[in-house]
Amino acid sequence: MAKKKSVRNAYICAALAGILACSGPGSMTAWAEEELYQAVDGNQIAEERLRDQTVEYEELGSLIHANNVTVQNAASGVENSRKTYTEDLEYLRSEKASARWNKDEAKDEGDMVSYAEYASYEAVYKSSIKSYNKMLDRLDQNSTNKSRVMLEKQLTNAAQSLMMSYQSMTLQKEYLATMEELLRTQYDNAQTRQQAGLSTDQEVMTARSSWESARASLKSMKSGEAAIYQNLCILLGVGEEGEVTIQKIPSVDVQKMDEMNLEEDTKKAITNNYDIISERSQSSGRSTAGVNKKTRTVEEMEEKLTVKMNQLYEDVQQAKTAYDAAEAGNYAADITWNSAQKKHEMGMLSNDGYLQEQIQYLQKKNNFESAELNLFQALETYWWAVNGIADF
């Protein structure tokens, strides 16, 4: 558990250090500027909705605009130690690799509780690294030279990433809470059978180990969820004492894939990308060499972004394939679980068999919810790239 605690603390301290250093609860002064602002995510949210003690996904851009101190004071930037950022980022990358290795090992061993835990850690580290890279990126360019709109796009994208991490943690927490309860029941049953001479010491020890592992994972997941909640609240400039409710992210809109056109979207991404726009606006001097160098630099950036767009497009396709498979598995699991419930009511299925069916059902349900969130995130990342926000 010590290692898990240190990993979690590293995530808390490092994942959004840059954002948190220049963000905080705002004074809602933006309302004096305009009554209804169209945020960079395309949404127009009334003031009363933003003050209702709940945070919805579609409100993130408007909350960033209204509350984020960095946006309110776009002319002032905060410089932080690049060495510290880089070291922290490398640490997060190593922990992500470790989580992935542990996840694969747990899968090979059939330990689904640990698999779910490490898969969740891997997803959180991946999301954190993405946000952290953006903060490092901002150190390379003085924020006073950035437009407020671009700044709002970057912070809104970071807030969305955090909210997706929060929901991932919440889903895993709910799953582990139920699993912990079921595994405790299995352990109790094993003890009862042992007293009747129907279960071995090894079977009891295995059942207890599974229950204790789930209990420890649940405790760790709750701490991680609380940390992400606090970071998101700070970024959005809303209450951090638990009085704000983070709403569930909407179900993925699969029809968004119908709007994807890789060739056209890549052209838009190149046109909208801030880094490319910034490079084009730089003076190349009057020399031919300077002009040629600038031209090559822009072309290289466009080529890299083109490769990135292809990758993001493939990420969406792969996430959709995984989503379809998980959806089919969840549908089949619903049928099997309904059948198991009926058999149990009729006395045709033992309590142990019933519990095992419930565990398998929950695993399929959790797999589907995770796959849906992954597809949602892949689509959001793709469309942000089209709108000028992409790491390449």
Side-chain angles (χ1 to χ4, degrees):
M1 291 304 298
K3 179 180 180 181
K4 292 179 182 177
K5 184 176 180 181
S6 68
V7 169
R8 184 172 67 253
N9 288 343
Y11 165 70
I12 295 170
C13 295
L16 287 170
I19 294 177
L20 301 184
C22 55
S23 305
S27 61
M28 302 291 281
T29 57
W31 305 120
E33 300 175 10
E34 49 207 283
E35 183 177 349
L36 196 60
Y37 176 73
Q38 181 168 341
V40 293
D41 53 15
N43 294 308
Q44 292 179 291
I45 309 297
E47 178 182 353
E48 57 268 23
R49 280 187 62 189
L50 299 183
R51 294 178 179 270
D52 64 2
Q53 298 300 300
T54 64
V55 173
E56 300 176 49
Y57 187 80
E58 64 179 10
E59 296 175 351
L60 296 180
S62 298
L63 286 169
I64 288 290
H65 172 75
N67 297 354
N68 186 271
V69 172
T70 311
V71 172
Q72 297 301 311
N73 303 283
S76 62
V78 178
E79 288 297 325
N80 296 284
S81 169
R82 173 162 296 282
K83 179 179 179 181
T84 301
Y85 276 126
T86 303
E87 289 175 351
D88 288 343
L89 181 58
E90 288 303 314
Y91 183 79
L92 285 172
R93 285 172 174 164
S94 68
E95 290 301 327
K96 173 177 172 287
S98 176
R100 182 174 183 178
W101 187 89
N102 286 323
K103 179 193 73 174
D104 293 338
E105 184 179 47
K107 181 179 180 181
D108 292 339
E109 294 175 356
D111 184 353
M112 299 310 297
V113 173
S114 295
Y115 176 86
E117 177 187 6
Y118 287 117
S120 176
Y121 282 144
E122 182 185 14
V124 170
Y125 290 137
K126 181 178 180 181
S127 177
S128 301
I129 289 169
K130 177 182 175 183
S131 295
Y132 206 67
N133 272 324
K134 290 176 182 176
M135 297 313 302
L136 277 169
D137 226 18
R138 288 215 289 274
L139 293 179
D140 294 330
Q141 302 175 27
N142 193 322
S143 62
T144 58
N145 297 325
K146 295 183 177 182
S147 70
R148 178 171 174 148
V149 171
M150 180 55 66
L151 184 59
E152 288 187 23
K153 284 184 177 181
Q154 291 173 323
L155 294 177
T156 299
N157 178 237
Q160 289 178 346
S161 180
L162 255 189
M163 192 167 181
M164 282 182 264
S165 294
Y166 178 80
Q167 176 154 320
S168 176
M169 278 286 198
T170 300
L171 291 174
Q172 293 298 327
K173 183 196 70 174
E174 293 171 352
Y175 166 72
L176 285 173
T178 306
M179 287 291 291
E180 189 270 340
E181 181 180 351
L182 294 176
L183 291 171
R184 172 58 190 267
T185 302
Q186 280 194 328
Y187 171 52
D188 290 341
N189 290 347
Q191 287 181 305
T192 301
R193 289 197 306 273
Q194 184 186 42
Q195 294 172 359
L198 301 175
S199 183
T200 66
D201 289 344
Q202 181 60 46
E203 288 172 335
V204 174
M205 289 176 61
T206 299
R208 178 173 179 174
S209 177
S210 296
W211 167 56
E212 289 181 341
S213 177
R215 185 172 60 172
S217 297
L218 177 60
K219 182 178 180 181
S220 176
M221 199 66 66
K222 286 180 178 178
S223 297
E225 180 190 45
I228 295 176
Y229 171 89
Q230 184 180 41
N231 287 338
L232 180 59
C233 287
I234 292 174
L235 178 60
L236 297 176
V238 297
E240 304 165 39
E241 303 302 322
E243 72 272 20
V244 173
T245 301
I246 309 298
Q247 298 291 346
K248 184 178 180 180
I249 291 174
S251 299
V252 64
D253 183 3
V254 180
Q255 292 184 345
K256 278 190 174 182
M257 293 184 66
D258 297 335
E259 303 171 14
M260 294 170 62
N261 181 313
L262 182 57
E263 183 177 354
E264 293 301 318
D265 291 340
T266 300
K267 292 178 182 178
K268 293 177 183 177
I270 291 173
T271 300
N272 294 332
N273 187 266
Y274 176 80
D275 293 324
I276 294 178
I277 292 173
S278 179
E279 182 62 34
R280 284 175 176 158
S281 66
Q282 296 295 321
S283 173
S284 59
R286 298 182 178 181
S287 67
T288 301
V291 172
N292 290 339
K293 181 180 179 181
K294 178 180 176 180
T295 300
R296 286 195 304 271
T297 300
V298 171
E299 289 176 349
E300 288 174 1
M301 294 177 72
E302 291 179 354
E303 289 174 2
K304 288 180 180 179
L305 182 53
T306 298
V307 172
K308 182 66 175 182
M309 287 300 297
N310 276 274
Q311 176 191 325
L312 294 178
Y313 184 87
E314 288 302 317
D315 288 346
V316 172
Q317 306 306 317
Q318 292 175 11
K320 179 58 165 60
T321 299
Y323 169 84
D324 289 340
E327 184 179 39
N330 187 56
Y331 178 78
D334 280 336
I335 296 174
T336 302
W337 175 233
N338 288 333
S339 175
Q341 289 177 302
K342 292 178 182 178
K343 288 181 180 179
H344 188 253
E345 291 173 0
M346 298 170 61
M348 299 172 62
L349 185 63
S350 67
N351 287 336
D352 282 344
Y354 180 75
L355 285 173
Q356 190 59 42
E357 290 288 350
Q358 190 172 5
I359 288 173
Q360 292 177 3
Y361 163 72
L362 288 171
Q363 289 171 345
K364 293 291 185 181
K365 182 175 180 289
N366 183 67
N367 289 342
F368 172 63
E369 290 174 337
S370 297
E372 182 179 31
L373 188 57
N374 287 339
L375 177 56
F376 185 96
Q377 186 165 24
L379 280 166
E380 290 293 272
T381 302
Y382 179 86
W383 288 116
W384 269 116
V386 173
N387 286 284
I389 305 295
D391 300 318
F392 61 94

